Amino acid sequence: MASSRMPTAEKSALSPMRDDAVLQLPLPPQLLQRGRCPFDPPEALDRMRAQSAVSPVMLRNGRTAWVVTGFDQARAVLSDPRFSADRLRHGSLLSDVSDELRKQLLDERLRAGSFISMDPPEHSRYRKLVTGAFTVRRMRQLTPRIAEIVTEHIDAMLATGTSADLVSAFALPVPSLVICELLGVPYTARREFQHRSAMILRLDTPIEDFLRLRQQLRQFMQHLVAHKRSEPGDDLLSELVHSDAEPALTDDELVSIANLLLIAGHETTANMLALGIFALLEHPDQLHTLRADPSLINGAVEELLRYLSIVHIGLTRVALEPVTISGHEIPAGATVLISVPETNRDPQHWSNPGCLDLTRPRRPHLAFGHGVHQCLGQQLARVEMTVGFTQLLQRLPGLRLAIPSQDVPLRSDMLIFGVHALPVRWDDLRLPR
Amino acid sequence: MNIHVDPTVCIGAGHCALRAPAVFDQSQHDGTVIVLDTQPDTEHQADVQAAVELCPSGAIWVSFAP
């Protein structure tokens, strides 16, 4: 596929060759700016959807991208094989990047196994190798251990007093420990990957820094793959290293797969847990409803996934050929951005979509995506949230923010939305009556 | 109600096994869909329909005998 040539997209004077370029689509700032409510998507996106479910927008580099805000249109794009998930190879994202950086970003050896950006049939081979480890049944088997981890972390919070930062004390360590145990990554080595994966998920990390961080993460994982080869454990990475896949998985592939699962496994659920509690605290009626009837938890998790849509920038696809969606002709090579928050609030699909309603009937949402790339770890995330929210509400009576809500630091600067910290307090159960 | 599945397009998201566990399971090997009951009772009909709607890969469909 030749690099993209969009209607307005000849190399723009606005985009000189820069090596401090980032790997993100240069969206107009209005499409990134949230209003007063921290849970609502940018108003500019709402206005776009009110006009059309698919809208061309001019990017900051003068190129055009198509933003999908309609639910049905988003599902259509995400299940259409004419759209590729390989945005680096097919899109215009790297058009303004130096040859040297582009070469490193497209290095076949380093991309091998990174199936999140592959299309079928290549994608299917890798996905099927790991899907067996994330089935509903396997997650049910993991549930007691997840509950134990959640309990231990709340015990530790209770032991230290009546206040904590929910992010550092609970929301980040719980899913991080769970994915480490599942994969077979020593949690004691978390300093090797937690900070680096967080840096990679910043919206403003320059490509040069991204490449360096990627290399460091790969070196760490390479050592671990070598270790699992000689001393396999009862974990997913050992299973993959010793799998009978045909052809056998190379070390490059194993390193990419493992890092993908490790990064995806803790940044996402971590943010749902913290932002979910923030949202519940800001909607006391909903919090009360859930406390009064804990059996609502499964529906509550789905509604929080929909309402919060933490993949807030959206999902990117590239048209491999001209495609018409809702009357809009999208040319070959064009980038399409599916706005997950907007599609999850499409009034054609949801009644009163801007309202958090934990009793809402379960319908499909796009929080985990759609099509062949729908989140591999979604059943794990569901268990972590179900157990996590339930225990937090049960065991921390009077849970409340310890700072004014407008002072909670939002992750508007990150690929995954959430809060950087959530200072909370709860009632002291140890006080004599 | 007759259940049809295509494990070759299934990506193992697991909605069906979660929503209608009496009708669907997942392969322990690669997580793809397994039908436990190709002609489920009407009591499962709503859950099967929900599973079809939730399925991200279009791996499940339903037909009705005349």
Side-chain angles (χ1 to χ4, degrees):
Chain A
M1 172 71 46
S3 68
S4 72
R5 285 291 176 263
M6 296 176 221
T8 58
E10 286 311 310
K11 181 154 275 179
S12 162
L14 297 173
S15 57
M17 198 81 88
R18 291 164 9 141
D19 274 359
D20 58 346
V22 299
L23 267 182
Q24 310 303 326
L25 212 57
L27 291 167
Q30 294 81 359
L31 299 191
L32 297 168
Q33 272 160 12
R34 284 172 186 251
R36 258 186 313 177
C37 173
F39 312 114
D40 288 346
E43 284 170 19
L45 281 167
D46 291 344
R47 288 195 296 271
M48 276 169 57
R49 190 193 49 221
Q51 289 181 349
S52 174
V54 181
S55 312
V57 296
M58 192 193 280
L59 301 173
R60 281 182 282 129
N61 62 11
R63 294 171 195 279
T64 302
W66 273 258
V67 178
V68 178
T69 50
F71 184 88
D72 292 336
Q73 292 78 5
R75 292 238 302 189
V77 170
L78 291 171
S79 56
D80 189 330
R82 294 174 294 173
F83 289 98
S84 171
D86 192 349
R87 65 194 187 124
L88 292 190
R89 190 190 312 275
H90 298 300
S92 60
L93 203 59
L94 302 185
S95 305
D96 303 329
V97 167
S98 72
D99 291 344
E100 178 51 34
L101 288 187
R102 188 182 312 123
K103 203 176 114 209
Q104 289 187 53
L105 285 165
L106 292 174
D107 185 324
E108 283 301 327
R109 274 191 59 198
L110 304 187
R111 277 161 57 89
S114 191
F115 59 95
I116 195 168
S117 54
M118 288 178 189
D119 300 319
E122 203 188 4
H123 163 267
S124 324
R125 172 181 180 236
Y126 296 105
R127 171 118 186 179
K128 287 202 171 163
L129 284 174
V130 288
T131 308
F134 291 93
T135 60
V136 170
R137 183 196 302 264
R138 286 285 279 269
M139 294 310 116
R140 285 211 180 98
Q141 289 163 354
L142 268 184
T143 304
R145 176 60 189 143
I146 293 171
E148 202 171 79
I149 290 171
V150 165
T151 302
E152 284 166 8
H153 281 79
I154 297 178
D155 286 346
M157 285 166 68
L158 290 168
T160 55
T162 56
S163 67
D165 168 21
L166 195 73
V167 173
S168 55
F170 184 86
L172 185 61
V174 166
S176 188
L177 181 52
V178 170
I179 193 67
C180 280
E181 288 193 4
L182 201 158
L183 256 180
V185 175
Y187 187 61
T188 46
R190 61 189 175 278
R191 302 208 188 292
E192 289 283 327
F193 54 83
Q194 274 185 347
H195 174 68
R196 288 175 187 148
S197 63
M199 285 299 292
I200 273 187
L201 296 175
R202 288 187 63 86
L203 292 173
D204 60 357
T205 296
I207 292 176
E208 285 191 347
D209 293 356
F210 167 84
L211 290 167
R212 181 174 44 78
L213 292 160
R214 181 176 73 171
Q215 199 47 41
Q216 290 167 342
L217 285 167
R218 291 188 73 87
Q219 276 166 5
F220 167 72
M221 201 53 86
Q222 180 62 56
H223 286 304
L224 202 56
V225 165
H227 176 70
K228 301 286 178 189
R229 185 155 278 136
S230 55
E231 288 175 55
D234 182 18
D235 54 63
L236 178 54
L237 187 52
S238 298
E239 247 177 70
L240 289 170
V241 169
H242 295 275
S243 86
D244 50 8
E246 203 46 69
L249 290 170
T250 64
D251 275 18
D252 285 330
E253 291 172 319
L254 287 163
V255 165
S256 294
I257 295 171
N259 270 329
L260 177 58
L261 300 183
L262 184 61
I263 295 173
H266 65 278
E267 282 286 336
T268 46
T269 308
N271 286 299
M272 271 306 300
L273 286 170
L275 190 65
I277 290 294
F278 184 25
L280 290 172
L281 295 178
E282 292 293 288
H283 295 82
D285 57 323
Q286 295 298 308
L287 180 64
H288 177 77
T289 302
L290 184 55
R291 271 218 167 102
D293 183 1
S295 76
L296 293 174
I297 186 64
N298 291 333
V301 164
E302 299 304 327
E303 172 66 352
L304 286 166
L305 283 163
R306 178 198 74 84
Y307 179 71
L308 299 172
S309 292
I310 59 171
V311 181
H312 65 135
I313 310 294
L315 303 165
T316 308
R317 293 292 184 268
V318 180
L320 294 174
E321 57 183 88
V323 183
T324 302
I325 302 240
S326 286
H328 289 268
E329 280 182 37
I330 297 172
T335 299
V336 176
L337 179 71
I338 291 105
S339 170
V340 175
E342 285 300 323
T343 54
N344 274 341
R345 292 182 181 213
D346 183 346
Q348 309 239 16
H349 190 73
W350 311 95
S351 60
N352 212 356
C355 172
L356 177 71
D357 175 4
L358 301 184
T359 63
R360 197 184 281 279
R362 170 85 167 96
R363 298 202 63 195
H365 57 67
L366 289 178
F368 289 120
H370 183 70
V372 298
H373 289 285
Q374 195 181 58
C375 179
L376 171 70
Q378 59 180 293
Q379 305 303 354
L380 174 60
R382 285 191 169 96
V383 173
E384 289 172 327
M385 281 184 273
T386 304
V387 176
F389 289 136
T390 301
Q391 283 207 32
L392 283 171
L393 296 189
Q394 264 173 9
R395 300 191 58 206
L396 301 176
L399 184 64
R400 58 197 177 272
L401 287 181
I403 58 173
S405 57
Q406 65 268 25
D407 292 345
V408 173
L410 302 175
R411 287 172 49 108
S412 306
D413 52 342
M414 307 297 284
L415 204 51
I416 310 289
F417 190 64
V419 291
H420 285 293
L422 192 72
V424 291
R425 282 186 200 290
W426 54 90
D427 296 339
D428 192 349
L429 293 175
R430 297 166 304 179
L431 280 178
R433 283 175 190 271
Chain B
M1 176 184 251
N2 298 296
I3 312 278
H4 311 267
V5 297
D6 182 355
T8 65
V9 303
C10 174
I11 57 150
H15 295 286
C16 56
L18 190 66
R19 188 62 188 248
V23 182
F24 301 104
D25 197 358
Q26 289 175 275
S27 147
Q28 301 227 42
H29 174 60
D30 64 8
T32 54
V33 60
I34 293 172
V35 184
L36 302 173
D37 186 355
T38 54
Q39 292 179 311
D41 294 339
T42 45
E43 58 173 314
H44 299 302
Q45 200 153 321
D47 286 336
V48 168
Q49 268 162 5
V52 171
E53 204 190 352
L54 288 166
C55 178
S57 61
I60 311 169
W61 72 102
V62 167
S63 67
F64 296 91

